[in-house]
Amino acid sequence: TPLEVSGNPEEYRGRVVSWELQYLSLERAETIRTDFYEGEPFLLTRTASERGAFVYVAIPPDRLQEVEGLIPLERIRIVGRVRTGAAALTGNVVLDLLEITRISRE
């Protein structure tokens, strides 16, 4: 779970996870977000349980079109590689997108 990963970030770095998440927004990383390169697109998502833990999903530029049609609060399944288990700025998990599946809109 995201809480397990953020609780022991070094152990999970590089591992592949599959989580059901709720999409909130598509963002671009600012300079202050040192776990991303400046301007890198990422999804802001949260888990449905675990007190709504936030998870950031970095999107490769060539896959941006796949996520541009997502609707806020839509449920998605993400398969991603753990870039970092605890982002420097927020302590939240950052994943590199491998696969995305739309589950439902709420």
Side-chain angles (χ1 to χ4, degrees):
T1 68
L3 287 180
E4 291 169 328
V5 172
S6 63
N8 196 352
E10 289 305 314
E11 179 181 336
Y12 291 97
R13 183 184 308 265
R15 289 198 187 176
V16 175
V17 296
S18 176
W19 291 331
E20 186 175 319
L21 301 168
Q22 190 173 41
Y23 168 76
L24 298 175
S25 63
L26 176 61
E27 305 288 335
R28 295 258 178 194
E30 308 92 0
T31 306
I32 195 169
R33 292 185 179 276
T34 57
D35 297 294
F36 298 91
Y37 64 82
E38 187 173 353
E40 183 175 17
F42 70 92
L43 302 181
L44 173 58
T45 69
R46 68 178 174 203
T47 60
S49 59
E50 301 178 56
R51 298 173 281 154
F54 289 103
V55 175
Y56 303 113
V57 183
I59 307 299
D62 62 334
R63 298 193 61 192
L64 193 55
Q65 193 171 21
E66 290 179 56
V67 300
E68 287 179 329
L70 293 173
I71 298 165
L73 305 183
E74 184 172 358
R75 293 207 178 280
I76 55 177
R77 175 157 307 281
I78 295 290
V79 176
R81 185 173 313 281
V82 177
R83 179 184 288 190
T84 183
L89 183 63
T90 64
N92 295 314
V93 177
V94 178
L95 302 178
D96 287 308
L97 178 69
L98 298 175
E99 296 176 24
I100 183 169
T101 305
R102 295 173 92 158
I103 297 172
S104 69
R105 299 177 189 177
E106 287 192 11

XYZ file of all heavy atoms in Angstrom:
847
model
N 0.842 -1.186 0.000
C 0.000 0.000 0.000
C 0.885 1.247 0.000
O 2.060 1.175 0.389
C -0.921 0.030 1.247
O -0.087 0.220 2.397
C -1.757 -1.233 1.380
N 0.325 2.390 -0.404
C 1.113 3.620 -0.362
C 1.666 3.942 1.027
O 2.787 4.432 1.138
C 0.116 4.691 -0.825
C -0.801 3.946 -1.741
C -0.956 2.589 -1.091
N 0.918 3.640 2.067
C 1.428 3.918 3.419
C 2.609 3.028 3.771
O 3.559 3.470 4.412
C 0.315 3.770 4.455
C -0.721 4.891 4.461
C -1.778 4.634 5.532
C -0.085 6.247 4.673
N 2.569 1.768 3.350
C 3.709 0.881 3.582
C 4.941 1.373 2.832
O 6.049 1.370 3.363
C 3.375 -0.544 3.132
C 2.338 -1.222 4.005
C 1.833 -2.521 3.399
O 1.755 -2.647 2.169
O 1.508 -3.411 4.198
N 4.726 1.802 1.582
C 5.845 2.279 0.761
C 6.451 3.543 1.357
O 7.671 3.649 1.496
C 5.394 2.509 -0.697
C 6.488 3.185 -1.506
C 4.993 1.185 -1.349
N 5.613 4.506 1.727
C 6.151 5.756 2.283
C 6.786 5.542 3.649
O 7.663 6.292 4.051
C 5.075 6.844 2.346
O 4.028 6.473 3.221
N 6.387 4.491 4.354
C 6.971 4.184 5.652
C 8.355 3.565 5.558
O 9.121 3.597 6.517
N 8.693 3.004 4.394
C 9.994 2.374 4.199
C 10.421 2.610 2.748
O 10.519 1.667 1.961
C 9.910 0.880 4.525
C 11.262 0.260 4.709
O 12.292 0.887 4.464
N 11.277 -0.994 5.118
N 10.657 3.863 2.375
C 10.853 4.216 0.967
C 12.021 3.545 0.266
O 11.912 3.190 -0.904
C 11.025 5.735 0.996
C 11.351 6.090 2.396
C 10.781 5.017 3.256
N 13.125 3.347 0.946
C 14.293 2.743 0.286
C 14.042 1.286 -0.090
O 14.527 0.811 -1.111
C 15.535 2.876 1.158
C 16.062 4.295 1.245
C 16.335 4.907 -0.119
O 16.944 4.249 -0.985
O 15.911 6.063 -0.334
N 13.282 0.582 0.722
C 12.993 -0.824 0.447
C 12.167 -0.991 -0.832
O 12.307 -1.978 -1.544
C 12.240 -1.448 1.619
C 11.882 -2.914 1.386
C 11.109 -3.529 2.537
O 11.219 -3.030 3.669
O 10.394 -4.503 2.292
N 11.305 -0.028 -1.125
C 10.384 -0.167 -2.246
C 10.841 0.518 -3.532
O 10.235 0.324 -4.582
C 9.001 0.355 -1.846
C 8.337 -0.544 -0.829
C 8.402 -0.260 0.530
C 7.659 -1.690 -1.232
C 7.799 -1.085 1.462
C 7.054 -2.520 -0.319
C 7.121 -2.215 1.035
O 6.529 -3.047 1.950
N 11.872 1.322 -3.491
C 12.352 2.028 -4.694
C 12.601 1.026 -5.823
O 13.261 0.010 -5.646
C 13.633 2.800 -4.408
C 14.121 3.606 -5.599
C 15.449 4.281 -5.322
N 15.438 5.053 -4.102
C 15.189 6.364 -4.038
N 14.959 7.040 -5.133
N 15.212 6.981 -2.881
N 12.018 1.303 -6.988
C 12.198 0.452 -8.153
C 11.204 -0.685 -8.283
O 11.119 -1.318 -9.335
N 10.433 -0.944 -7.255
C 9.446 -2.027 -7.324
C 8.238 -1.610 -8.156
O 7.880 -0.439 -8.218
C 8.968 -2.421 -5.930
C 10.039 -3.134 -5.147
C 9.431 -3.879 -4.007
N 10.480 -4.433 -3.158
C 10.231 -5.061 -2.043
N 9.002 -5.202 -1.622
N 11.223 -5.554 -1.337
N 7.590 -2.586 -8.756
C 6.381 -2.353 -9.538
C 5.172 -2.643 -8.654
O 5.115 -3.687 -7.994
C 6.366 -3.226 -10.808
C 5.047 -3.082 -11.553
C 7.524 -2.844 -11.721
N 4.232 -1.702 -8.638
C 3.010 -1.844 -7.846
C 1.801 -1.646 -8.746
O 1.897 -1.021 -9.806
C 2.966 -0.828 -6.678
C 4.095 -1.082 -5.692
C 3.010 0.603 -7.174
N 0.666 -2.161 -8.316
C -0.601 -1.966 -9.008
C -1.611 -1.508 -7.972
O -1.909 -2.255 -7.034
C -1.056 -3.275 -9.656
O -2.324 -3.116 -10.257
N -2.095 -0.279 -8.137
C -3.019 0.293 -7.158
C -4.228 0.898 -7.850
O -4.120 1.497 -8.921
C -2.341 1.409 -6.358
C -1.267 0.952 -5.427
C -1.170 -0.258 -4.800
C -0.133 1.701 -4.999
N -0.049 -0.294 -4.010
C 0.609 0.890 -4.114
C 0.318 2.981 -5.279
C 1.773 1.325 -3.507
C 1.487 3.402 -4.677
C 2.196 2.580 -3.797
N -5.380 0.778 -7.193
C -6.576 1.494 -7.623
C -6.541 2.855 -6.939
O -6.418 2.944 -5.717
C -7.836 0.732 -7.228
C -9.083 1.380 -7.785
C -10.339 0.574 -7.517
O -10.289 -0.675 -7.645
O -11.359 1.196 -7.190
N -6.630 3.894 -7.751
C -6.526 5.262 -7.247
C -7.675 6.107 -7.773
O -8.365 5.721 -8.715
C -5.192 5.881 -7.694
C -3.935 5.147 -7.229
C -2.710 5.676 -7.965
C -3.760 5.284 -5.727
N -7.846 7.261 -7.183
C -8.839 8.224 -7.644
C -8.097 9.425 -8.219
O -7.277 10.043 -7.537
C -9.738 8.652 -6.484
C -10.923 9.463 -6.915
C -11.869 9.707 -5.754
O -11.427 9.982 -4.639
N -13.147 9.615 -6.010
N -8.378 9.712 -9.483
C -7.726 10.821 -10.183
C -8.263 12.146 -9.651
O -9.467 12.330 -9.508
C -7.999 10.697 -11.688
C -7.638 11.917 -12.476
C -6.319 12.203 -12.771
C -8.623 12.792 -12.932
C -5.980 13.324 -13.504
C -8.295 13.914 -13.667
C -6.979 14.175 -13.952
O -6.655 15.291 -14.671
N -7.362 13.079 -9.383
C -7.761 14.414 -8.950
C -7.447 15.462 -10.006
O -8.299 16.265 -10.360
C -7.086 14.780 -7.624
C -7.441 13.866 -6.453
C -6.635 14.234 -5.227
C -8.931 13.906 -6.180
N -6.195 15.459 -10.515
C -5.836 16.470 -11.516
C -4.550 16.094 -12.229
O -3.776 15.269 -11.747
C -5.679 17.847 -10.861
O -4.615 17.845 -9.925
N -4.340 16.735 -13.372
C -3.099 16.622 -14.130
C -2.307 17.890 -13.856
O -2.821 18.999 -14.033
C -3.400 16.488 -15.629
C -2.205 16.460 -16.575
C -1.287 15.283 -16.283
C -2.691 16.407 -18.023
N -1.083 17.743 -13.405
C -0.253 18.870 -12.996
C 1.068 18.869 -13.765
O 1.404 17.891 -14.431
C 0.041 18.787 -11.493
C -1.170 18.690 -10.609
C -1.959 19.975 -10.510
O -1.353 21.059 -10.713
O -3.162 19.916 -10.230
N 1.813 19.956 -13.616
C 3.187 20.060 -14.127
C 4.075 20.428 -12.943
O 3.741 21.301 -12.151
C 3.297 21.149 -15.197
C 2.497 20.848 -16.433
C 3.389 20.353 -17.503
N 2.619 20.018 -18.702
C 3.107 19.337 -19.678
N 4.355 18.923 -19.619
N 2.388 19.047 -20.730
N 5.189 19.740 -12.827
C 6.068 19.928 -11.676
C 6.756 21.292 -11.699
O 7.287 21.715 -12.723
C 7.114 18.825 -11.634
N 6.743 21.950 -10.559
C 7.472 23.197 -10.363
C 8.898 22.852 -9.917
O 9.174 21.741 -9.501
C 6.805 24.055 -9.270
C 5.331 24.294 -9.461
C 4.473 23.232 -8.748
O 5.008 22.306 -8.114
O 3.248 23.342 -8.862
N 9.771 23.818 -9.966
C 11.167 23.636 -9.581
C 11.309 23.077 -8.167
O 12.204 22.269 -7.903
C 11.926 24.978 -9.675
O 11.743 25.499 -10.977
C 13.399 24.805 -9.396
N 10.424 23.463 -7.267
C 10.513 23.036 -5.868
C 10.294 21.532 -5.699
O 10.721 20.940 -4.720
C 9.508 23.842 -5.006
C 9.852 23.681 -3.529
C 8.080 23.453 -5.308
C 9.112 24.624 -2.623
N 9.663 20.887 -6.672
C 9.412 19.438 -6.611
C 10.640 18.702 -7.147
O 10.712 18.368 -8.320
C 8.162 19.070 -7.393
C 6.898 19.603 -6.769
C 5.679 19.102 -7.524
N 4.467 19.580 -6.932
C 3.830 19.020 -5.905
N 4.330 17.938 -5.342
N 2.715 19.518 -5.443
N 11.580 18.450 -6.285
C 12.875 17.908 -6.699
C 12.835 16.434 -7.105
O 13.820 15.926 -7.626
C 13.910 18.104 -5.576
O 13.427 17.478 -4.384
C 14.157 19.586 -5.318
N 11.723 15.752 -6.876
C 11.593 14.359 -7.301
C 11.125 14.247 -8.749
O 10.967 13.146 -9.268
C 10.622 13.611 -6.378
C 11.148 13.555 -4.963
O 12.188 12.901 -4.766
O 10.551 14.184 -4.075
N 10.896 15.390 -9.386
C 10.483 15.478 -10.786
C 11.449 16.409 -11.502
O 12.113 17.216 -10.868
C 9.080 16.096 -10.923
C 7.988 15.302 -10.274
C 7.615 15.537 -8.961
C 7.304 14.335 -10.987
C 6.584 14.830 -8.365
C 6.266 13.621 -10.402
C 5.911 13.866 -9.094
N 11.467 16.361 -12.827
C 12.180 17.410 -13.542
C 11.194 18.547 -13.774
O 9.978 18.340 -13.809
C 12.833 16.907 -14.831
C 11.892 16.415 -15.911
C 11.261 17.314 -16.774
C 11.661 15.060 -16.103
C 10.408 16.877 -17.768
C 10.810 14.613 -17.100
C 10.190 15.529 -17.931
O 9.345 15.092 -18.916
N 11.689 19.759 -13.875
C 10.826 20.931 -14.008
C 9.929 20.788 -15.233
O 10.384 20.485 -16.328
C 11.647 22.209 -14.111
C 10.775 23.447 -14.074
C 11.571 24.733 -14.014
O 12.808 24.678 -13.873
O 10.947 25.796 -14.114
N 8.622 20.978 -15.015
C 7.637 20.896 -16.086
C 7.142 19.492 -16.371
O 6.271 19.301 -17.221
N 7.673 18.490 -15.675
C 7.249 17.109 -15.920
C 5.766 16.948 -15.577
O 5.313 17.346 -14.508
C 8.079 16.147 -15.061
C 7.763 14.695 -15.293
C 8.679 13.759 -14.532
O 9.363 14.199 -13.575
O 8.722 12.569 -14.900
N 4.984 16.347 -16.470
C 3.569 16.126 -16.165
C 3.403 14.977 -15.164
O 4.143 13.993 -15.207
C 2.952 15.767 -17.521
C 4.080 15.290 -18.361
C 5.329 15.932 -17.831
N 2.445 15.154 -14.255
C 2.140 14.089 -13.308
C 0.672 14.155 -12.910
O 0.031 15.207 -13.000
C 3.051 14.154 -12.076
C 2.814 15.313 -11.161
C 1.957 15.228 -10.074
C 3.479 16.525 -11.369
C 1.755 16.309 -9.222
C 3.293 17.616 -10.525
C 2.432 17.503 -9.446
N 0.153 13.004 -12.519
C -1.208 12.927 -12.006
C -1.167 13.082 -10.499
O -0.329 12.458 -9.826
C -1.841 11.569 -12.325
C -1.946 11.142 -13.772
C -2.618 9.773 -13.855
C -2.684 12.163 -14.599
N -2.063 13.889 -9.980
C -2.303 13.943 -8.541
C -3.468 12.989 -8.301
O -4.543 13.162 -8.874
C -2.654 15.356 -8.095
C -3.089 15.511 -6.635
C -2.018 15.018 -5.676
C -3.467 16.945 -6.344
N -3.229 11.959 -7.508
C -4.253 10.966 -7.207
C -4.279 10.727 -5.709
O -3.397 11.173 -4.981
C -3.970 9.619 -7.927
O -2.821 9.013 -7.348
C -3.767 9.815 -9.418
N -5.299 9.988 -5.284
C -5.359 9.582 -3.875
C -5.952 8.185 -3.800
O -6.658 7.739 -4.708
C -6.170 10.554 -3.042
C -7.635 10.566 -3.363
C -8.378 11.520 -2.466
N -9.768 11.589 -2.917
C -10.574 12.575 -2.679
N -10.158 13.617 -1.989
N -11.813 12.558 -3.111
N -5.659 7.533 -2.707
C -6.210 6.206 -2.483
C -7.641 6.343 -1.986
O -8.021 7.376 -1.432
C -5.386 5.430 -1.441
O -5.400 6.158 -0.214
C -3.966 5.223 -1.908
N -8.408 5.282 -2.186
C -9.794 5.285 -1.714
C -9.854 5.016 -0.214
O -10.808 5.387 0.448
C -10.605 4.238 -2.468
N -8.825 4.382 0.309
C -8.786 4.067 1.739
C -7.550 4.712 2.344
O -6.969 5.621 1.760
C -8.759 2.553 1.926
O -7.629 2.019 1.285
N -7.160 4.212 3.474
C -5.940 4.675 4.150
C -5.893 6.187 4.345
O -4.895 6.836 4.087
C -4.699 4.239 3.381
C -4.592 2.760 3.214
C -3.375 2.415 2.396
O -2.280 2.825 2.777
O -3.548 1.750 1.382
N -6.977 6.751 4.759
C -7.037 8.197 5.013
C -6.753 9.019 3.778
O -6.264 10.142 3.871
C -6.087 8.582 6.148
C -6.455 7.911 7.459
C -5.424 8.167 8.507
N -4.309 7.255 8.259
C -3.072 7.484 8.631
N -2.762 8.561 9.272
N -2.128 6.611 8.365
N -7.032 8.472 2.588
C -6.883 9.237 1.356
C -5.455 9.651 1.065
O -5.208 10.780 0.662
N -4.495 8.748 1.234
C -3.092 9.065 0.967
C -2.917 9.516 -0.479
O -3.476 8.918 -1.405
C -2.224 7.842 1.243
N -2.153 10.564 -0.693
C -1.884 11.059 -2.040
C -0.763 10.255 -2.685
O 0.185 9.841 -2.020
C -1.494 12.539 -2.013
C -2.661 13.438 -1.685
C -2.787 13.971 -0.420
C -3.620 13.732 -2.640
C -3.858 14.792 -0.095
C -4.699 14.547 -2.326
C -4.825 15.078 -1.052
N -0.893 10.050 -3.997
C 0.117 9.366 -4.796
C 0.310 10.193 -6.057
O -0.666 10.587 -6.710
C -0.334 7.933 -5.180
C 0.677 7.280 -6.105
C -0.567 7.085 -3.936
N 1.559 10.488 -6.398
C 1.882 11.203 -7.624
C 2.317 10.187 -8.676
O 3.090 9.284 -8.378
C 3.017 12.201 -7.394
C 2.731 13.198 -6.309
C 3.465 13.195 -5.127
C 1.731 14.145 -6.453
C 3.216 14.106 -4.119
C 1.464 15.059 -5.449
C 2.209 15.039 -4.284
O 1.944 15.938 -3.301
N 1.813 10.350 -9.899
C 2.144 9.425 -10.986
C 2.770 10.230 -12.120
O 2.081 11.000 -12.797
C 0.894 8.670 -11.494
C 1.297 7.666 -12.571
C 0.167 7.982 -10.344
N 4.080 10.078 -12.309
C 4.797 10.788 -13.369
C 4.400 10.191 -14.723
O 4.361 8.971 -14.894
C 6.297 10.665 -13.156
N 4.117 11.078 -15.675
C 3.646 10.671 -16.997
C 4.730 10.969 -18.029
O 5.135 12.133 -18.185
C 2.358 11.437 -17.387
C 1.285 11.301 -16.294
C 1.846 10.966 -18.744
C 0.828 9.902 -16.019
N 5.180 9.952 -18.770
C 6.128 10.230 -19.852
C 5.463 11.144 -20.887
O 4.273 10.966 -21.199
C 6.421 8.850 -20.456
C 5.981 7.867 -19.422
C 4.879 8.528 -18.647
N 6.192 12.123 -21.421
C 5.588 13.060 -22.376
C 4.896 12.375 -23.556
O 3.851 12.842 -24.004
C 6.778 13.906 -22.846
C 7.739 13.848 -21.705
C 7.582 12.468 -21.117
N 5.422 11.248 -24.018
C 4.815 10.572 -25.163
C 3.525 9.826 -24.799
O 2.829 9.321 -25.673
C 5.812 9.620 -25.824
C 6.295 8.508 -24.915
O 6.293 8.695 -23.674
O 6.681 7.448 -25.436
N 3.175 9.788 -23.512
C 1.937 9.118 -23.072
C 0.933 10.103 -22.490
O -0.098 9.708 -21.966
C 2.277 8.036 -22.058
C 3.177 6.971 -22.690
C 3.324 5.751 -21.904
N 2.060 5.077 -21.688
C 1.918 4.084 -20.803
N 2.936 3.681 -20.092
N 0.742 3.500 -20.638
N 1.228 11.383 -22.603
C 0.369 12.413 -22.032
C -1.052 12.343 -22.584
O -2.029 12.538 -21.859
C 0.989 13.792 -22.283
C 0.423 14.965 -21.525
C 0.439 14.726 -20.025
C 1.186 16.223 -21.857
N -1.205 12.025 -23.844
C -2.527 11.967 -24.479
C -3.425 10.917 -23.802
O -4.634 11.086 -23.741
C -2.375 11.668 -25.959
C -3.635 11.883 -26.751
C -3.373 11.776 -28.243
O -2.396 11.187 -28.675
N -4.260 12.359 -29.025
N -2.847 9.862 -23.268
C -3.612 8.804 -22.598
C -4.340 9.309 -21.353
O -5.366 8.747 -20.973
C -2.707 7.656 -22.166
C -2.149 6.823 -23.268
C -1.254 5.728 -22.727
O -1.710 4.922 -21.879
O -0.081 5.691 -23.146
N -3.814 10.332 -20.706
C -4.385 10.780 -19.432
C -5.134 12.104 -19.532
O -5.804 12.493 -18.584
C -3.292 10.877 -18.340
C -2.638 9.535 -18.109
C -2.260 11.929 -18.670
N -5.043 12.773 -20.660
C -5.662 14.092 -20.772
C -7.187 14.058 -20.689
O -7.796 15.034 -20.334
C -5.201 14.784 -22.053
C -3.761 15.253 -21.941
C -3.245 15.932 -23.189
O -3.687 15.586 -24.302
O -2.381 16.817 -23.035
N -7.820 12.930 -20.958
C -9.277 12.843 -20.901
C -9.841 12.380 -19.574
O -11.053 12.218 -19.437
N -8.982 12.170 -18.589
C -9.469 11.726 -17.287
C -10.334 12.811 -16.648
O -10.093 14.006 -16.815
C -8.312 11.376 -16.362
C -7.479 10.160 -16.758
C -6.269 10.031 -15.837
C -8.315 8.894 -16.727
N -11.319 12.367 -15.888
C -12.268 13.270 -15.235
C -12.004 13.232 -13.727
O -11.852 12.139 -13.156
C -13.709 12.827 -15.541
C -13.941 12.900 -17.048
C -14.727 13.668 -14.791
C -15.177 12.170 -17.503
N -11.953 14.397 -13.069
C -11.716 14.401 -11.627
C -12.655 13.443 -10.886
O -13.848 13.354 -11.204
C -11.967 15.844 -11.222
C -11.570 16.607 -12.453
C -12.064 15.751 -13.605
N -12.104 12.711 -9.949
C -12.733 11.711 -9.101
C -12.943 10.370 -9.789
O -13.461 9.429 -9.192
C -14.050 12.209 -8.496
C -13.954 13.522 -7.714
C -15.294 13.873 -7.115
C -12.877 13.456 -6.647
N -12.519 10.251 -11.047
C -12.596 8.983 -11.760
C -11.630 7.987 -11.120
O -10.525 8.336 -10.719
C -12.217 9.217 -13.222
C -12.332 8.011 -14.095
C -12.127 8.333 -15.576
O -11.935 9.517 -15.941
O -12.162 7.378 -16.353
N -12.056 6.728 -11.059
C -11.197 5.680 -10.518
C -10.359 5.088 -11.649
O -10.864 4.821 -12.732
C -12.017 4.592 -9.857
C -12.709 5.104 -8.617
C -12.943 3.972 -7.633
N -13.561 4.476 -6.427
C -12.924 5.083 -5.440
N -11.651 5.287 -5.517
N -13.549 5.498 -4.371
N -9.070 4.890 -11.340
C -8.134 4.342 -12.314
C -7.288 3.273 -11.639
O -7.129 3.285 -10.420
C -7.234 5.443 -12.917
C -6.507 6.227 -11.816
C -8.028 6.378 -13.818
C -5.535 7.291 -12.304
N -6.799 2.347 -12.429
C -5.819 1.380 -11.926
C -4.491 1.763 -12.555
O -4.379 1.882 -13.769
C -6.164 -0.051 -12.291
C -5.044 -1.005 -11.845
C -5.471 -2.430 -11.648
N -6.608 -2.620 -10.780
C -6.597 -2.606 -9.437
N -5.470 -2.365 -8.796
N -7.679 -2.817 -8.743
N -3.504 1.961 -11.715
C -2.165 2.334 -12.159
C -1.207 1.189 -11.866
O -1.184 0.661 -10.755
C -1.670 3.605 -11.427
C -2.521 4.814 -11.783
C -0.194 3.855 -11.691
C -2.365 5.315 -13.192
N -0.459 0.814 -12.870
C 0.709 -0.038 -12.658
C 1.894 0.904 -12.838
O 2.012 1.577 -13.876
C 0.768 -1.207 -13.656
C 2.054 -2.005 -13.458
C -0.464 -2.099 -13.517
N 2.712 0.990 -11.815
C 3.825 1.927 -11.871
C 5.032 1.425 -11.110
O 4.930 0.565 -10.236
N 6.165 1.985 -11.468
C 7.420 1.682 -10.775
C 7.649 2.778 -9.738
O 7.522 3.963 -10.035
C 8.569 1.636 -11.766
C 9.892 1.209 -11.140
C 10.988 1.005 -12.166
N 10.588 0.216 -13.320
C 10.487 -1.123 -13.351
N 10.761 -1.825 -12.279
N 10.125 -1.743 -14.455
N 7.978 2.381 -8.521
C 8.206 3.352 -7.449
C 9.477 4.140 -7.749
O 10.571 3.593 -7.747
C 8.300 2.656 -6.073
C 8.622 3.676 -4.980
C 7.016 1.903 -5.764
N 9.312 5.423 -8.037
C 10.451 6.330 -8.237
C 11.021 6.693 -6.881
O 12.216 6.689 -6.659
C 9.985 7.594 -8.971
C 11.085 8.597 -9.206
C 10.593 9.867 -9.841
N 10.226 9.681 -11.235
C 9.943 10.674 -12.065
N 10.000 11.932 -11.641
N 9.593 10.434 -13.310
N 10.127 7.070 -5.989
C 10.510 7.345 -4.602
C 9.322 7.024 -3.712
O 8.182 7.263 -4.077
C 10.977 8.799 -4.392
O 11.390 8.962 -3.026
C 9.909 9.812 -4.700
N 9.616 6.452 -2.565
C 8.562 6.108 -1.627
C 8.122 7.271 -0.767
O 7.077 7.220 -0.135
N 8.915 8.333 -0.754
C 8.594 9.500 0.063
C 9.197 10.742 -0.595
O 10.390 11.012 -0.445
C 9.123 9.332 1.479
N 8.368 11.470 -1.334
C 8.828 12.677 -2.022
C 9.417 13.669 -1.028
O 8.927 13.813 0.100
C 7.667 13.328 -2.776
N 10.478 14.351 -1.447
C 11.177 15.292 -0.567
C 10.251 16.391 -0.044
O 10.333 16.770 1.120
C 12.363 15.909 -1.307
N 9.364 16.888 -0.891
C 8.493 18.006 -0.512
C 7.317 17.565 0.354
O 6.962 18.241 1.312
C 7.991 18.723 -1.770
C 7.125 19.955 -1.562
C 7.913 21.061 -0.852
C 6.599 20.463 -2.901
N 6.709 16.430 0.027
C 5.453 16.046 0.676
C 5.492 14.732 1.448
O 4.596 14.465 2.240
C 4.343 15.908 -0.373
O 4.686 14.845 -1.261
C 4.141 17.200 -1.147
N 6.469 13.882 1.178
C 6.520 12.572 1.813
C 5.638 11.535 1.143
O 5.543 10.409 1.606
N 4.995 11.906 0.025
C 4.106 10.987 -0.683
C 4.864 10.162 -1.714
O 5.938 10.542 -2.173
C 2.975 11.757 -1.370
C 2.066 12.429 -0.366
O 1.667 11.829 0.621
N 1.752 13.681 -0.602
N 4.253 9.046 -2.104
C 4.835 8.141 -3.094
C 4.797 8.786 -4.480
O 3.815 9.434 -4.856
C 4.054 6.810 -3.130
C 4.591 5.891 -4.210
C 4.089 6.129 -1.767
N 5.874 8.591 -5.256
C 5.929 9.003 -6.654
C 6.157 7.745 -7.492
O 7.126 7.018 -7.263
C 7.063 10.021 -6.927
C 7.110 10.387 -8.416
C 6.894 11.260 -6.067
N 5.251 7.510 -8.445
C 5.363 6.377 -9.360
C 5.682 6.857 -10.763
O 5.257 7.938 -11.163
C 4.034 5.605 -9.434
C 3.460 5.036 -8.154
C 2.124 4.359 -8.446
C 4.422 4.063 -7.518
N 6.378 6.027 -11.523
C 6.543 6.226 -12.961
C 5.499 5.351 -13.635
O 5.452 4.137 -13.396
C 7.948 5.825 -13.413
C 8.994 6.832 -12.973
O 8.801 8.032 -13.242
O 9.992 6.423 -12.372
N 4.654 5.942 -14.460
C 3.564 5.221 -15.114
C 4.084 4.123 -16.030
O 4.938 4.361 -16.884
C 2.717 6.195 -15.943
C 1.573 5.558 -16.730
C 0.492 5.050 -15.791
C 1.009 6.545 -17.727
N 3.527 2.920 -15.851
C 3.768 1.802 -16.764
C 2.485 1.470 -17.519
O 2.499 1.264 -18.719
C 4.291 0.580 -16.010
C 5.630 0.754 -15.294
C 5.972 -0.499 -14.489
C 6.737 1.104 -16.271
N 1.350 1.406 -16.780
C 0.050 1.115 -17.380
C -1.021 1.910 -16.657
O -0.903 2.166 -15.466
C -0.304 -0.368 -17.243
C 0.598 -1.321 -17.958
C 0.223 -2.776 -17.677
O -0.958 -3.064 -17.330
O 1.112 -3.633 -17.804
N -2.073 2.260 -17.385
C -3.231 2.914 -16.777
C -4.495 2.298 -17.376
O -4.568 2.051 -18.576
C -3.204 4.441 -16.988
C -4.395 5.087 -16.261
C -3.149 4.797 -18.456
C -4.329 6.599 -16.189
N -5.471 2.038 -16.492
C -6.761 1.513 -16.894
C -7.836 2.337 -16.219
O -7.774 2.553 -14.997
C -6.932 0.031 -16.456
O -5.839 -0.715 -16.969
C -8.239 -0.541 -16.961
N -8.812 2.791 -16.994
C -9.945 3.512 -16.415
C -10.915 2.495 -15.825
O -11.277 1.534 -16.482
C -10.632 4.339 -17.484
C -9.741 5.445 -18.015
C -10.358 6.141 -19.167
N -11.113 7.276 -18.672
C -11.431 8.326 -19.401
N -11.107 8.370 -20.677
N -12.111 9.316 -18.884
N -11.324 2.713 -14.576
C -12.236 1.792 -13.904
C -13.655 2.340 -13.933
O -14.569 1.681 -14.401
C -11.784 1.514 -12.454
C -10.432 0.832 -12.465
C -12.816 0.676 -11.710
C -9.807 0.672 -11.106
N -13.853 3.547 -13.396
C -15.204 4.111 -13.355
C -15.146 5.600 -13.051
O -14.170 6.119 -12.564
C -16.047 3.410 -12.305
O -15.579 3.739 -11.012
N -16.269 6.231 -13.322
C -16.452 7.633 -12.939
C -17.378 7.645 -11.731
O -18.258 6.832 -11.619
C -17.115 8.425 -14.065
C -16.288 8.443 -15.317
C -17.030 9.183 -16.388
N -16.316 8.997 -17.636
C -16.725 9.471 -18.776
N -17.840 10.150 -18.864
N -16.024 9.281 -19.868
N -17.154 8.591 -10.833
C -18.035 8.698 -9.676
C -18.640 10.072 -9.599
O -18.104 11.025 -10.033
C -17.265 8.395 -8.395
C -16.978 6.934 -8.290
C -16.479 6.528 -6.935
O -16.520 7.314 -5.974
O -16.051 5.393 -6.805
